[in-house]
């Protein structure tokens, strides 16, 4: 029986007051250390460098050697959590109305305002600080580490000191079988391992692999499109699913999602131009192949697997976490679409399944937020519906069949391109709900290192999407007495399985990637606490 993620993202306001007091001293020290380095580094930022704020990726035509160190690229993403308590995470949640991450966006806006850059935002004058959140500008030059100069790379901790810190914690009786890995993000070098090549059930840390694969296959700017087409001979309007589970039928558009209401309005306008007021309504779900059910069966953690659904087929107003779902998401979305057409004066028959042919002309389309935003949402909220959708998008991009087997083959193929260790690894789904998935801690740290590599700016949303300890997503409410705002990690929880994989900046400013996989756990609360203690120990480590 699957146990859902222990703490899905909820309103943060009740937690902020509790954690801010514990984090404030660290914030003050960090801000004081970072401020002079930002001032020194700003003039040296090469044009076109991928930045660490917002979700847009800018590729550099040529990455100068002095800027090609991984830790320079990722330190802002990894340390942004330490400045969140200044108000970047509020009860509004980690997303603004455009689907961007407000936590990192607002911090970047505040820093950028002193430089007078408009960054294409036409809502305000260049040099004038914005009144509220806006499109995230480029962040200041990437940090070199909290204690180093502009050209100094700090070596990561390693050897006996790090082993002495972690080994006792990872021998906790709360764990059964364990695979652990810690890597220096600046070099990719392994600095600690406890059976890092053991292939264990990863639970939701599988989503890290899914994220890396889909970004590799499609890039961060790709969008998922839902279409309405028209067969003129039969006056059939066909709603064509594009695999976007964030498509919304709600009146208030959440997080910049594509709107079924907007699509209906545009479709009605296009039909009116043709003089058509009455249509046969159908829907097309042929983008995916195979069955619609996950091997776990009907489960509140995800809807039926179909390329057409609205609001993840939720029967309540929630946007994340477990919820009861509509039995037939595609038919439900089509019925709602028909009702919206009626609101615009178009009479439609009750919908039925069909297939849009080459003869059908396009009436209207709506598109999802960029893939970078979808990946961030998937990781922060541990969104299983998005994970399965993105795995199938990977299969489609690779020319594989859009089912579980095709998605698994496509994900593996994309990871092989990156040269990461895949021995013993087995993919069975994109979300990690399937207990037959097998990943290693060594693979997860390798994927996190790749995500921070300036040679792969398209993978940056993997790092920025990781939940922030004590503040966002599935880490909300954890680390109240530890590394709140410093650890960023993806959780994984099934019955008898507890996992944690992410990044942390240690006491001396070194950026580390870590992964801890435990199976055979009998007390999930004790196992979770032990994992958090290990990550906190890394944050506090000045190990030599």
């Amino acid at each position: 029986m699957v146990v859902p993620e222990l703490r899905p993202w909820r309103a943060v306001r009740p937690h902020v007051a509790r954690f801010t007091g514990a984090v404030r001293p660290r914030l003050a020290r960090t801000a004081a250390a970072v401020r002079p380095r930002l001032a020194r580094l700003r003039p040296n930022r090469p044009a076109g460098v991928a930045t660490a704020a917002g979700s847009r990726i800018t590729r550099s035509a040529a990455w100068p050697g002095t800027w090609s160190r991984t830790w320079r690229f990722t330190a802002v993403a990894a340390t942004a959590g330490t400045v969140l308590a200044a108000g970047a995470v509020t009860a509004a949640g980690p997303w603004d109305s455009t689907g961007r991450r407000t936590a990192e966006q607002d911090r970047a806006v505040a820093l950028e305002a002193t430089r007078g850059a408009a960054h294409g935002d036409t809502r305000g004058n260049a040099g004038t600080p914005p009144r509220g959140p806006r499109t995230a500008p480029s962040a200041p030059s990437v940090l070199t580490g909290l204690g180093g100069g502009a050209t100094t790379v700090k070596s990561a901790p390693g050897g006996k000191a790090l082993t002495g810190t972690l080994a006792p914690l990872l021998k906790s009786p709360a764990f059964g079988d364990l695979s652990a890995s810690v890597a220096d993000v600046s070099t990719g070098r392994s600095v600690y391992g406890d059976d890092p090549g053991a292939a264990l059930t990863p639970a939701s840390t599988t989503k890290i692999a899914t994220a890396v694969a889909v970004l590799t296959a499609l890039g961060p700017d790709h969008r998922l499109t839902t279409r309405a087409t028209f067969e003129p001979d039969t006056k059939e309007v066909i709603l064509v699913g594009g695999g976007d589970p964030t498509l919304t039928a709600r009146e208030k558009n959440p997080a910049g999602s594509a709107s079924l209401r907007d699509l209906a309005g545009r479709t009605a306008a296009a039909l009116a131009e043709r003089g058509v007021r009455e249509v046969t309504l159908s829907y097309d779900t042929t983008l995916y192949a195979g069955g619609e059910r996950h091997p776990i069966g009907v489960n509140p953690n995800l809807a039926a697997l179909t390329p057409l659904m609205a609001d993840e087929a939720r029967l309540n107003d929630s946007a994340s976490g477990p919820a009861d779902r509509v039995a037939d998401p595609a038919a439900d979305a089509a019925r709602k679409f028909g009702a919206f057409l009626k609101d615009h004066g178009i009479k439609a028959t009750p919908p039925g399944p069909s297939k849009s042919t080459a003869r059908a002309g396009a009436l209207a389309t709506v598109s999802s937020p960029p893939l970078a935003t979808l990946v961030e949402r998937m990781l922060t909220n541990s969104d299983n519906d998005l994970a399965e959708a993105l795995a199938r998008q990977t299969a489609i991009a690779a020319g594989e069949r859009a089912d579980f087997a095709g998605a698994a083959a496509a994900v593996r193929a994309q990871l092989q391109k990156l040269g990461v260790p895949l021995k013993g690894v087995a993919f069975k789904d994109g979300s990690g709900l399937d207990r037959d998935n097998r990943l290693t801690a060594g693979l997860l740290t390798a994927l996190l290192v790749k995500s921070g590599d300036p040679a792969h700016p398209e993978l940056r949303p993997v790092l920025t999407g990781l939940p922030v300890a004590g503040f966002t997503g599935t880490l909300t409410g954890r680390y109240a007495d530890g590394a709140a705002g410093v650890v960023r990690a993806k959780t994984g929880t099934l019955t008898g399985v507890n996992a944690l994989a992410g990044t942390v900046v240690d006491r001396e400013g070194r950026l580390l990637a870590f992964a801890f996989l435990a199976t055979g756990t009998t007390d999930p609360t004790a196992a979770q606490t032990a994992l958090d203690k290990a990550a906190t120990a890394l944050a506090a480590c000045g190990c030599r």
Side-chain angles (χ1 to χ4, degrees):
M1 178 65 182
V2 174
V3 175
E5 292 290 351
L6 293 179
R7 293 187 181 273
W9 193 88
R10 295 181 174 90
V12 181
R13 187 181 300 276
H15 303 287
V16 171
R18 187 188 315 159
F19 302 140
T20 300
V23 177
R24 187 177 291 112
R26 186 187 291 270
L27 298 176
R29 292 195 300 272
T30 301
V34 171
R35 190 175 296 111
R37 287 161 179 78
L38 291 175
R40 290 200 302 271
L41 288 173
R42 281 180 192 137
N44 299 318
R45 180 168 63 88
V49 173
T51 64
S55 59
R56 295 185 63 82
I57 304 297
T58 304
R59 296 177 184 268
S60 172
W63 201 286
T66 58
W67 287 87
S68 63
R69 307 299 294 186
T70 303
W71 57 270
R72 290 187 179 98
F73 178 77
T74 58
V76 167
T79 60
T82 53
V83 297
L84 292 177
V89 175
T90 66
W95 314 102
D96 68 8
S97 62
T98 68
R100 292 183 174 86
R101 300 181 64 76
T102 56
E104 294 176 41
Q105 168 187 309
D106 291 354
R107 176 61 176 165
V109 169
L111 292 172
E112 191 67 22
T114 61
R115 297 167 62 187
H119 291 275
D121 192 327
T122 59
R123 289 174 289 176
N125 296 323
T128 302
R131 295 181 180 178
R134 67 175 194 182
T135 300
S138 301
S141 301
V142 185
L143 300 180
T144 62
L146 301 183
T151 59
T152 302
V153 177
K154 285 199 168 191
S155 60
K160 293 182 179 179
L162 184 57
T163 299
T165 297
L166 280 183
L169 296 174
L170 295 177
K171 293 186 183 302
S172 168
F175 301 140
D177 293 328
L178 179 74
S179 176
S181 174
V182 181
D184 175 3
V185 178
S186 68
T187 64
R189 180 175 64 90
S190 174
V191 294
Y192 177 82
D194 184 346
D195 206 5
L200 302 178
T201 303
S204 278
T205 59
T206 301
K207 293 182 176 74
I208 293 175
T210 302
V212 170
V214 72
L215 289 167
T216 300
L218 292 169
D221 296 322
H222 183 79
R223 296 173 186 261
L224 310 181
T225 299
T226 305
R227 301 180 291 134
T229 64
F230 183 60
E231 295 274 5
D233 295 340
T234 59
K235 292 188 178 181
E236 181 184 16
V237 171
I238 306 169
L239 182 61
V240 184
D244 177 14
T246 69
L247 177 71
T248 183
R250 294 170 183 169
E251 187 171 2
K252 186 175 181 180
N253 190 342
S257 297
S259 170
L260 194 62
R261 292 172 183 265
D262 288 349
L263 182 61
R266 296 174 194 177
T267 300
L271 289 170
E273 288 181 359
R274 293 167 169 79
V276 177
R277 293 294 181 181
E278 188 169 341
V279 298
T280 298
L281 181 59
S282 302
Y283 57 93
D284 183 345
T285 60
T286 58
L287 183 66
Y288 290 176
E292 293 187 349
R293 289 296 174 193
H294 190 280
I296 64 172
V298 177
N299 190 285
N301 283 291
L302 80 169
L305 301 170
T306 171
L308 178 62
M309 65 175 69
D311 301 300
E312 296 183 342
R314 295 172 180 271
L315 286 171
N316 58 24
D317 293 332
S318 66
S320 63
D324 291 335
R325 313 301 180 103
V326 174
D328 189 341
D332 176 70
R335 282 192 294 270
K336 290 175 179 176
F337 183 71
F340 299 148
L341 287 178
K342 183 179 179 180
D343 292 340
H344 289 278
I346 302 297
K347 183 179 180 180
T349 64
S354 184
K355 178 176 174 58
S356 183
T357 69
R359 298 187 308 274
L363 289 173
T365 64
V366 289
S367 295
S368 72
L371 192 59
T373 300
L374 299 183
V375 163
E376 288 179 329
R377 171 174 167 172
M378 173 187 71
L379 293 171
T380 298
N381 292 338
S382 198
D383 192 313
N384 298 306
D385 299 283
L386 257 175
E388 297 301 346
L390 296 183
R392 278 161 175 70
Q393 292 294 332
T394 306
I396 293 165
E400 297 282 355
R401 181 177 164 89
D403 59 8
F404 283 109
V411 167
R412 187 181 190 92
Q414 295 302 317
L415 300 189
Q416 283 177 331
K417 293 179 182 179
L418 298 174
V420 293
L422 293 170
K423 183 178 180 181
V425 169
F427 296 103
K428 298 298 181 180
D429 68 4
S431 62
L433 289 173
D434 194 318
R435 303 183 69 87
D436 289 334
N437 286 305
R438 292 292 183 271
L439 268 65
T440 68
L443 170 62
L444 290 170
T445 53
L447 293 175
L448 292 166
V449 167
K450 286 289 183 183
S451 298
D453 188 341
H456 293 283
E458 72 280 3
L459 300 182
R460 182 186 150 278
V462 176
L463 297 185
T464 58
L466 294 173
V468 180
F471 290 100
T472 62
T474 53
L475 288 186
T476 300
R478 289 168 64 168
Y479 296 87
D481 300 320
V486 179
V487 172
R488 304 188 68 149
K490 181 71 198 75
T491 56
T493 308
L494 296 172
T495 301
V497 176
N498 290 85
L500 192 67
T503 62
V504 64
V505 177
D506 76 1
R507 191 175 65 193
E508 297 188 12
R510 293 171 293 227
L511 183 64
L512 306 175
F514 67 90
F516 308 134
L517 303 179
T519 61
T521 60
T522 56
D523 184 337
T525 300
Q528 174 182 292
T529 299
L531 292 176
D532 290 349
K533 285 182 178 178
T536 298
L538 280 176
C541 186
C543 309
R544 292 290 183 181

